[in-house]
Amino acid sequence: MSASGHPSSTTTRRSALVVFLLAAGSVSPVGTQAPRPAQPTPAASWNQFRGNPRLTGVAAHAPGAALTLRWTYEAGDAIESSAAIADGTVYVGSANGELLAIDLESGKLRWKYATGGFIGESSPAVGRDAVFVGDLGGIVHAVSARDGSRLWTFKTDAEVKSSPTLVDDLLLIGSYDTYLYALESRTGKLRWKLQTEGPVHATPAVHNGVVYIGGCDEHFRAVRLADGKTIFQIPVGAYTAASAVVDGDRAYFGTFSFEVLAFDLRSRTIQWRYRNPNREFPYYSSAALVDGRVIVGGRDKAVHAINSASGKADWTFQTRARVDSSPAVAGGRVYIGSSDGRLYVLDAATGQKQWEFDAGAAITASPAIAAGRVVIGSHDGRLYCFG
C-alpha cells in the first residue's frame, strides 16, 4: 500500500484565526432510523484512536459550544498521529519520532520518548501503566506512562501506520509486513499473528471477543480475539485503508473505490453502498457513528452524514480540501479536521457549521475529546488544545 500522500515536512504557519459562527442547536434527526441496539457508555477518557476498541469516535463528555484555544505545544515536526488523553495527560507522536506526554491542563511537557525512528499515523493507546505506539521503522513500543521509560519493544518487518487497540491483556496492531499482531501488553510477547494478502494499515476494531479489520488486500475479516483464528473473510472488491466502526451486528467503513459500506456481521453481506453521486473520490477517514448516522470525511473535500438504516445521505458539508481526518462526536456536534488547515465543528443533525479554527497547516490527524477538551495536531508540528 502506498503512503497516504500527506506532506511530512514542517510547513510555514499562518496566523491562527478563530471564528465563532453559531451556538450549538438541538435539531431532530433527519431520515428513517432503524431501532438501535443498546450501546455502552463511552469512556470518560480517550485512550486510543477513535476513543474505544469499537472505534466509534464518540466521546462521553462534550466540550462547551464556544471553544477557545487553551494552549499550543510545538512538537518540532509534523503531527499525523492522533492524540490519546488519559488521567490528565495528552499522548501524541510526531514525525521526528518522539512520543510526547503533555499535561492536559497546562500544555507543559511531562516527558518525551525517542523511538529512534519516525512516527506516522500510528496513534498512542494508553493502558493502566503503559503507552503503546508504532513507528515507521516497524517497531512497536511500550513506554511507562509515569516517566516515559522504555518497557519493551517488538519488531515487525515493515512500517507500522496502524494504531494499537488494547483489549484486556492484548495489544492488537497491524504492520505493512502483511500481519496483524496480538502481543501481550505487559511483556510484548507474541500471542498470535494473522497473515493477510497485503499491508495491514487499518486499526483493528474489537467487539464481543471478535476482531474486525479491513485491508489493503480488499478483504474484510472477523478474527477470534482469543487465538487469532479467522471466523470469516469476505472480499469487498476494494482497497481499504479506513478502520471499521462496529455497532451491534453492523460494521461501517469507506474504501478507495469511492464508497462507504455497511456490512452485516451476521449474514456476512453488504447491506448498502453509499457513493457521492457528484464526485467520486476515495474515503481514507474512519467513520464515527451517532444517532443513526455514519459520519465520515472524504477526499472529495466533504464531510458526509449517511443514514445508517437506508444508506442515503442525510447531509454533506464542503471544506476546501480533502478530509482524511476522522470525525469525533460529542454532545450532538462533529469535530473534524481538513487538509485546508481548519478544524471544524458541525451540528451532527444538520451538518451546519458552528465553529472553525484556522491552524494554517493541513490537519489530517483526528480530534481526541476528554475532560471538556479537544486536542488535535497539524502538519506544521503544533498540537492544539481547545476547551
Side-chain angles (χ1 to χ4, degrees):
M1 175 178 174
S2 63
S4 66
H6 303 159
S8 60
S9 60
T10 303
T11 57
T12 302
R13 184 192 185 207
R14 302 194 301 268
S15 59
L17 172 65
V18 181
V19 182
F20 294 94
L21 295 175
L22 296 172
S26 177
V27 183
S28 299
V30 179
T32 303
Q33 298 186 36
R36 309 297 298 157
Q39 300 183 24
T41 302
S45 57
W46 192 275
N47 289 73
Q48 68 153 80
F49 181 63
R50 314 304 297 128
N52 54 67
R54 291 197 297 119
L55 311 186
T56 63
V58 178
H61 304 292
L67 297 180
T68 59
L69 181 62
R70 298 287 180 166
W71 52 258
T72 303
Y73 182 85
E74 304 276 351
D77 209 340
I79 299 174
E80 296 181 74
S81 173
S82 300
I85 305 172
D87 299 322
T89 304
V90 177
Y91 302 93
V92 73
S94 70
N96 62 12
E98 292 180 335
L99 175 64
L100 306 169
I102 300 166
D103 184 81
L104 177 61
E105 184 61 30
S106 67
K108 302 297 184 182
L109 181 70
R110 290 187 171 177
W111 52 254
K112 64 172 64 175
Y113 167 86
T115 64
F118 302 95
I119 298 176
E121 297 166 45
S122 185
S123 304
V126 186
R128 185 176 59 182
D129 303 311
V131 187
F132 307 90
V133 73
D135 70 27
L136 298 182
I139 308 293
V140 181
H141 301 261
V143 181
S144 169
R146 180 176 58 85
D147 59 11
S149 60
R150 179 175 298 178
L151 298 176
W152 55 257
T153 59
F154 179 88
K155 178 91 168 64
T156 76
D157 291 328
E159 62 187 359
V160 175
K161 290 190 174 183
S162 172
S163 299
T165 297
L166 188 63
V167 181
D168 299 327
D169 65 336
L170 285 185
L171 185 78
L172 302 165
I173 194 165
S175 170
Y176 272 45
D177 66 5
T178 74
Y179 284 95
L180 173 66
Y181 293 92
L183 310 176
E184 293 181 0
S185 62
R186 292 183 62 85
T187 65
K189 181 180 178 181
L190 179 66
R191 181 78 62 85
W192 53 258
K193 64 180 181 178
L194 175 74
Q195 187 169 23
T196 70
E197 299 169 31
V200 181
H201 178 93
T203 296
V206 182
H207 184 48
N208 290 340
V210 180
V211 183
Y212 298 99
I213 192 163
C216 302
D217 62 358
E218 303 186 359
H219 285 80
F220 182 70
R221 290 175 171 83
V223 181
R224 202 158 56 202
L225 177 64
D227 56 13
K229 301 300 182 184
T230 299
I231 299 171
F232 64 75
Q233 174 180 322
I234 305 295
V236 296
Y239 173 97
T240 304
S243 306
V245 54
V246 178
D247 178 54
D249 295 328
R250 287 273 188 100
Y252 305 88
F253 54 92
T255 77
F256 268 62
S257 292
F258 322 138
E259 293 180 320
V260 179
L261 306 181
F263 193 88
D264 188 285
L265 302 176
R266 285 188 178 270
S267 65
R268 305 175 187 180
T269 58
I270 295 173
Q271 295 299 292
W272 51 252
R273 298 174 180 267
Y274 169 83
R275 183 184 291 256
N276 182 350
N278 300 315
R279 305 184 69 199
E280 294 189 334
F281 284 84
Y283 290 91
Y284 195 84
S285 167
S286 299
L289 183 66
V290 65
D291 295 335
R293 293 182 183 85
V294 180
I295 300 174
V296 64
R299 288 191 167 175
D300 59 355
K301 305 181 182 180
V303 182
H304 301 258
I306 308 162
N307 187 282
S308 63
S310 67
K312 305 297 183 182
D314 277 353
W315 54 258
T316 58
F317 173 82
Q318 202 71 35
T319 76
R320 301 167 180 85
R322 68 187 188 183
V323 184
D324 285 349
S325 175
S326 301
V329 181
R333 295 182 290 275
V334 178
Y335 302 76
I336 192 166
S338 170
S339 290
D340 66 11
R342 291 166 172 82
L343 172 66
Y344 292 97
V345 180
L346 312 175
D347 185 281
T350 66
Q352 295 207 0
K353 182 172 65 175
Q354 299 186 333
W355 181 89
E356 71 176 30
F357 174 84
D358 187 350
I363 298 176
T364 57
S366 306
I369 302 177
R373 299 288 186 264
V374 181
V375 178
I376 195 167
S378 69
H379 277 228
D380 64 0
R382 288 176 169 85
L383 185 71
Y384 296 94
C385 177
F386 304 93

